[in-house]
Amino acid sequence: MKIEIWSDIACPWCYIGKRRFEEAWRAFPERDALDIIWRSFELDPSAPAVQHTPTVELLATKYRMPVERAQGLMDQMTATGAAEGITFRFDRSISGNTFDAHRLIHFAAGQGKRVEMVERLFAAYFTDGVAMGDRTALVQLAPDVGLNAGEVSAMLDSDAFAAEVREDEARAQQLGISGVPFFAIDEKYGVSGAQPASALTDALNQAWFESAAER
């Protein structure tokens, strides 16, 4: 059964959704039969490569709210993440474009390291304060998951996997996906948002039961 997950590295709810999906996966009896594919989605394709404005100020500007209110929302998100075992350090976050990070995930997939790369990028961005639009920083992360830094550097300096990222994004549009995370199960069932693990497990069980009935 194919599970496609559209997400963006700069999306905190996507990181939380990843944790909840992992819990659902562990609770799913047929988990070894799942083909899990991470798909690209950019929340802000027009963002500059690196943006050093503090995240709290960006949030306040985007939603036209006082900085104090934005900080309160970030504090709430930090607490939600902690409950899932995630350390959000928004005070360290360096915003920017995530296109190259998505290209890196596609590259890692070809090396059998897709899941590891996704996790490393999330942790790098939200905990370590690594800019996802900084190619040098991305190259430095590569060895952490067993990728060759030289090969990653050459890939990022080319246009490799750009088409694959755009294909993922185009398919998201075709499916009407406007927000992430989004979980598509066998191209028949969709779960939108960082739903509780129990809801994801229920969706997996239902999809598996119905697909088995069709076989």
Side-chain angles (χ1 to χ4, degrees):
M1 192 162 70
K2 182 169 67 174
I3 313 297
E4 298 171 276
I5 306 172
W6 272 267
S7 73
D8 192 5
I9 294 301
C11 166
W13 281 114
C14 291
Y15 200 2
I16 290 171
K18 180 178 184 295
R19 283 288 183 271
R20 292 176 177 175
F21 176 78
E22 289 165 347
E23 182 180 344
W25 176 84
R26 288 190 294 268
F28 184 59
E30 306 296 336
R31 56 184 173 275
D32 292 337
L34 298 183
D35 180 19
I36 303 170
I37 304 171
W38 289 85
R39 299 295 189 192
S40 306
F41 192 100
E42 293 176 89
L43 290 173
D44 187 4
S46 65
V50 179
Q51 190 164 250
H52 290 285
T53 304
T55 301
V56 67
E57 293 182 18
L58 291 173
L59 184 65
T61 299
K62 180 178 180 179
Y63 293 105
R64 300 179 181 180
M65 64 175 64
V67 170
E68 293 77 13
R69 172 59 176 157
Q71 183 62 57
L73 292 175
M74 288 169 52
D75 291 344
Q76 291 176 18
M77 180 62 71
T78 299
T80 301
E84 304 293 340
I86 296 170
T87 302
F88 282 125
R89 288 297 305 270
F90 293 109
D91 56 317
R92 294 178 178 174
S93 295
I94 302 174
S95 299
N97 199 286
T98 58
F99 186 75
D100 283 338
H102 287 296
R103 291 172 59 214
L104 179 53
I105 292 170
H106 277 280
F107 174 84
Q111 307 293 316
K113 297 290 186 178
R114 173 165 42 202
V115 173
E116 294 88 346
M117 194 75 255
V118 169
E119 176 63 29
R120 185 66 189 99
L121 289 172
F122 270 129
Y125 179 71
F126 283 112
T127 304
D128 303 333
V130 176
M132 292 295 99
D134 183 338
R135 289 183 177 179
T136 299
L138 293 177
V139 170
Q140 292 173 345
L141 293 175
D144 293 350
V145 299
L147 298 179
N148 181 279
E151 292 178 0
V152 169
S153 180
M155 182 277 293
L156 291 173
D157 285 340
S158 72
D159 63 353
F161 301 104
E164 285 82 348
V165 174
R166 295 305 184 207
E167 287 171 8
D168 283 353
E169 294 175 336
R171 189 146 166 268
Q173 286 190 324
Q174 292 171 357
L175 294 174
I177 299 171
S178 58
V180 286
F182 189 92
F183 304 84
I185 306 174
D186 264 353
E187 301 182 344
K188 294 180 180 180
Y189 313 94
V191 178
S192 180
Q195 300 294 329
S198 58
L200 291 166
T201 300
D202 288 345
L204 291 174
N205 284 326
Q206 179 181 353
W208 183 266
F209 175 79
E210 293 183 8
S211 65
E214 295 173 357
R215 292 197 291 268

